[in-house]
Amino acid sequence: MPTNPLSPNELARTQAVLDRNQWNITRAARELGISRSAVQNRIRLIGKPANAKFESPRLPSPIRDLDELIADRIKESRRSKNADDARDLIKIHVNIEGPFGLLIFGDPHVDDAGCDFETLARHRDIAINHPFVLAGNIGDNLNNWIGRLGQLYAHQTTTAAEGWKLVEWLIRPINWLFLIGGNHDLWMGNGDPLQWIASQAGSLYEPHGVRMALKQPCGTVTRIHCRHDFPGHSIYHSLHGPKREALMGFRDHLIVAGHKHVGASEQFVTPEGLVCQIVRVAGYKLADAYARQLALKKMAIHAAALIIIDPKEPETGGGRVWCAPTVEKGILFLDSLRSDYEQTKKSKK
């Protein structure tokens, strides 16, 4: 406890002045030649007046005291830092030997009339049924119009509640390697249903983006960086943002973005010699009134992307990670690779 800087005589004089002025703080402060707050501090040291007309209880404060607040802030900052550090590069063990596919769904917008639902349903079946295909979701699963954009619900036949039914149809049956919250998904704010659905399925859900290191039984590690979008834009190059990441950011084997409803892919060799596959998935929203308003060209390639990952290939060659021209042709190639792998495996026994 801090020591009292006032002498007993000063406190006694203050009490006498307060008694004489019927505990009027303003008049007592004027007589003592001190401020009102100083008088109030002295009253706290003196205690309640003997002739007080009533006694008010001292209620407990809902606010933490300073020591408790600092201790809690330290605990909270440590927890926040640990959570942030754990997401720098998420290590995932993939229990598949040999080559496998990663099917990355572009922006689905399942409740939009322009969604290519037949293609989406076909890709969903592949993700559910193919034993050597993992699935990822780049975000924007539904329109989820909010604010002034809410008026756009007048132009779509699927209600908001029906939209979430379609999201469940897409999300629940698939064992997702990852799900990314896009800008339309994150408009939900707190209590995101997509995050809850993902947690029930045991899937990795992260807003904005995720960076992973996939380790297979043979020991090969493939680094993947997927975001709803990367910073940077160019009217001349739809891969400008992801390629900027490859040049100035992490050196990963695969970099994938979505968001802009255009599709493109290319392989890029970093200065260290690593071959990086860069992809932008266009998503399933083929008919888009906003794109027509801006006179944007239809970019129908890569609604989704099937990425072939072959762990036996060196990372300095073009065969470790590459994007198939279409999902369907990629499945044919993957099945052929798997057949060769199984034959080779049998011949070694």
Side-chain angles (χ1 to χ4, degrees):
M1 294 290 292
T3 57
N4 177 19
L6 297 172
S7 67
N9 289 338
E10 288 176 303
L11 290 176
R13 178 172 175 264
T14 299
Q15 183 162 0
V17 170
L18 286 165
D19 288 338
R20 188 163 54 251
N21 288 282
Q22 297 181 334
W23 286 74
N24 184 298
I25 295 175
T26 301
R27 290 203 299 266
R30 189 180 302 120
E31 184 174 334
L32 291 167
I34 58 179
S35 66
R36 279 176 52 85
S37 61
V39 174
Q40 289 170 331
N41 287 334
R42 292 186 182 189
I43 289 173
R44 281 191 284 271
L45 295 172
I46 293 169
K48 65 179 186 294
N51 60 347
K53 295 180 180 179
F54 61 88
E55 297 180 17
S56 296
R58 293 204 171 204
L59 300 176
S61 174
I63 301 173
R64 291 167 286 182
D65 63 41
L66 186 58
D67 290 341
E68 184 182 6
L69 182 59
I70 290 173
D72 287 348
R73 293 296 297 139
I74 291 172
K75 183 179 178 180
E76 186 176 350
S77 66
R78 285 175 179 170
R79 182 174 63 248
S80 179
K81 183 179 183 300
N82 288 339
D84 190 66
D85 290 346
R87 286 162 172 77
D88 286 344
L89 183 64
I90 302 170
K91 297 177 181 178
I92 298 175
H93 290 275
V94 176
N95 300 318
I96 297 176
E97 295 182 355
F100 68 96
L102 174 57
L103 177 54
I104 301 179
F105 288 67
D107 303 27
H109 291 280
V110 292
D111 58 340
D112 197 278
C115 172
D116 183 0
F117 220 85
E118 290 178 284
T119 301
L120 177 62
R122 190 166 64 249
H123 291 170
R124 172 182 177 270
D125 288 344
I126 292 171
I128 293 171
N129 297 314
H130 200 291
F132 300 107
V133 170
L134 304 179
N137 185 310
I138 211 71
D140 281 2
N141 287 277
L142 76 172
N143 285 334
N144 197 26
W145 304 122
I146 60 167
R148 63 181 178 81
L149 295 176
Q151 63 184 316
L152 295 177
Y153 275 119
H155 302 283
Q156 72 176 54
T157 57
T158 307
T159 67
E162 290 170 338
W164 280 110
K165 276 191 175 183
L166 293 172
V167 170
E168 285 196 81
W169 166 84
L170 175 63
I171 300 300
R172 281 194 185 277
I174 299 175
N175 184 19
W176 298 93
L177 178 66
F178 67 88
L179 290 141
I180 292 172
N183 57 303
H184 285 256
D185 302 315
L186 298 176
W187 285 345
M188 285 301 300
N190 295 324
D192 182 357
L194 184 60
Q195 186 175 19
W196 184 84
I197 294 170
S199 69
Q200 295 301 300
S203 298
L204 175 64
Y205 175 83
E206 287 294 316
H208 311 300
V210 63
R211 185 167 177 255
M212 300 163 288
L214 308 185
K215 186 175 182 179
Q216 291 185 254
C218 63
T220 298
V221 176
T222 303
R223 294 182 304 279
I224 297 174
H225 194 177
C226 297
R227 296 188 63 83
H228 190 60
D229 201 9
F230 288 87
H233 175 73
S234 170
I235 62 173
Y236 303 107
H237 194 359
S238 55
L239 292 174
H240 177 81
K243 193 165 186 177
R244 177 174 177 262
E245 172 65 18
L247 282 167
M248 305 175 67
F250 296 111
R251 300 292 199 247
D252 294 324
H253 301 93
L254 175 64
I255 297 176
V256 185
H259 182 54
K260 293 182 178 176
H261 298 189
V262 296
S265 64
E266 72 172 57
Q267 285 191 324
F268 169 77
V269 182
T270 69
E272 298 83 7
L274 181 143
V275 177
C276 173
Q277 175 69 65
I278 306 173
V279 182
R280 186 182 290 280
V281 282
Y284 297 88
K285 193 173 178 180
L286 294 183
D288 189 346
Y290 182 63
R292 188 170 292 279
Q293 174 188 334
L294 298 180
L296 301 177
K297 293 180 180 179
K298 290 184 179 180
M299 299 289 285
I301 66 169
H302 296 321
L306 184 67
I307 311 299
I308 307 294
I309 299 175
D310 191 344
K312 78 176 188 303
E313 295 287 340
E315 63 180 21
T316 53
R320 164 73 76 82
V321 177
W322 65 276
C323 178
T326 67
V327 171
E328 291 73 20
K329 288 184 178 179
I331 290 295
L332 293 175
F333 188 83
L334 175 62
D335 289 344
S336 177
L337 275 181
R338 290 297 313 178
S339 177
D340 289 347
Y341 172 79
E342 295 298 339
Q343 289 294 329
T344 303
K345 190 175 178 182
K346 285 181 182 179
S347 66
K348 289 182 178 179
K349 288 184 178 180

